Amino acid sequence: MKPPFVAWESLYSAYTKHPTPNMDFNTAAIVLARAISLGCWVEADRIANIIRGGLTERRKVGGRQQPICAFDAIHVTRVAPFVLNLYAQWTGKPFPLEGLPVISMEAYEPLLSLWQTEDLTALEQALFVACDLHMERSKLSQVESFEFIDEVDILHPAEILAVLRLREAKGLANPAIDHPLMQTPVGRLFEIKSVPHEEVLERAVANFLATIPSPASQG
């Protein structure tokens, strides 16, 4: 089975359907985790910049300044604040999450504190509990919004693999995780490969990014 594709086109199309387009905050973070887990560092940074833009930048729509991206369902996701804080620790570039109505990260919180540890036993335990949370939050419901409702997201533990990939990049050893979530065909780190160049898609993304005003231009 091939590793999951980093869905650039879905990120771009989310911004083109409405003057003030909406994107699911949870989904955006999972796409970022997927890029990290695949070692697509350039793509991960670009996705992170889009997320930052959605959280901070504003543009004039109908004579009024409105957010470039009105993120949906910010308050229901546990995985999004974990992924964004994880990537912020890696890059040293925090996301503007202060004041957002996010709920507790639950089992992801201790993992955020332990992901750089050399204590493999403690890390393995934290990863195992986080895997349990992934499975617990993998379901479709008419009553409650869950983090993992897409088949790829349910089977591909992107946020767990993102931790392992970042540790690998730092030269740290990774523990073996004896958990059912990690026994699927996509529950492992794949060899890092370059993302195929798509000229039309790259041009479309570049055109979109050019529409985002820089903070200095907003006055």
Side-chain angles (χ1 to χ4, degrees):
M1 181 179 291
K2 294 182 179 180
F5 175 61
V6 179
W8 262 110
E9 59 268 62
S10 67
L11 282 176
Y12 178 74
S13 64
Y15 284 95
T16 59
K17 296 177 181 177
H18 190 274
T20 307
N22 295 327
M23 178 189 292
D24 185 281
F25 183 62
N26 181 78
T27 300
I30 292 175
V31 172
L32 174 58
R34 195 181 302 170
I36 299 168
S37 72
L38 296 174
C40 297
W41 306 116
V42 173
E43 290 71 24
D45 197 49
R46 293 173 70 182
I47 294 166
N49 286 336
I50 288 176
I51 293 173
R52 285 192 188 92
L55 291 169
T56 62
E57 303 288 356
R58 304 178 76 83
R59 67 180 173 192
K60 186 170 290 186
V61 178
R64 294 191 307 166
Q65 291 289 330
Q66 297 183 15
I68 284 178
C69 177
F71 281 119
D72 295 330
I74 288 178
H75 64 287
V76 301
T77 176
R78 296 151 181 79
V79 71
F82 167 70
V83 171
L84 298 188
N85 279 296
L86 176 70
Y87 196 64
Q89 288 185 13
W90 167 255
T91 62
K93 300 177 182 178
F95 290 84
L97 299 177
E98 298 80 5
L100 293 180
V102 294
I103 62 175
S104 169
M105 289 183 279
E106 295 188 8
Y108 294 127
E109 194 151 6
L111 182 56
L112 187 64
S113 301
L114 284 169
W115 76 272
Q116 299 182 75
T117 185
E118 295 185 4
D119 185 343
L120 292 185
T121 300
L123 178 63
E124 182 182 1
Q125 292 174 349
L127 286 166
F128 195 95
V129 176
C131 287
D132 279 345
L133 180 59
H134 182 109
M135 295 187 70
E136 178 186 336
R137 304 300 302 172
S138 296
K139 59 187 74 173
L140 185 61
S141 170
Q142 299 298 321
V143 179
E144 181 181 353
S145 296
F146 287 86
E147 283 79 359
F148 309 104
I149 59 174
D150 180 88
E151 184 180 57
V152 172
D153 295 334
I154 290 172
L155 296 176
H156 183 238
E159 78 282 16
I160 306 298
L161 294 172
V163 170
L164 301 181
R165 182 67 77 188
L166 292 180
R167 285 182 59 84
E168 178 186 83
K170 289 178 69 70
L172 296 170
N174 282 322
I177 311 170
D178 186 19
H179 191 282
L181 184 64
M182 308 304 292
Q183 309 309 315
T184 71
V186 291
R188 61 184 178 86
L189 292 179
F190 288 88
E191 178 185 353
I192 296 178
K193 296 182 179 180
S194 60
V195 176
H197 178 66
E198 296 277 354
E199 184 177 349
V200 175
L201 182 57
E202 287 294 318
R203 190 162 59 244
V205 172
N207 288 340
F208 160 68
L209 293 176
T211 68
I212 301 179
S214 65
S217 68
Q218 297 177 40

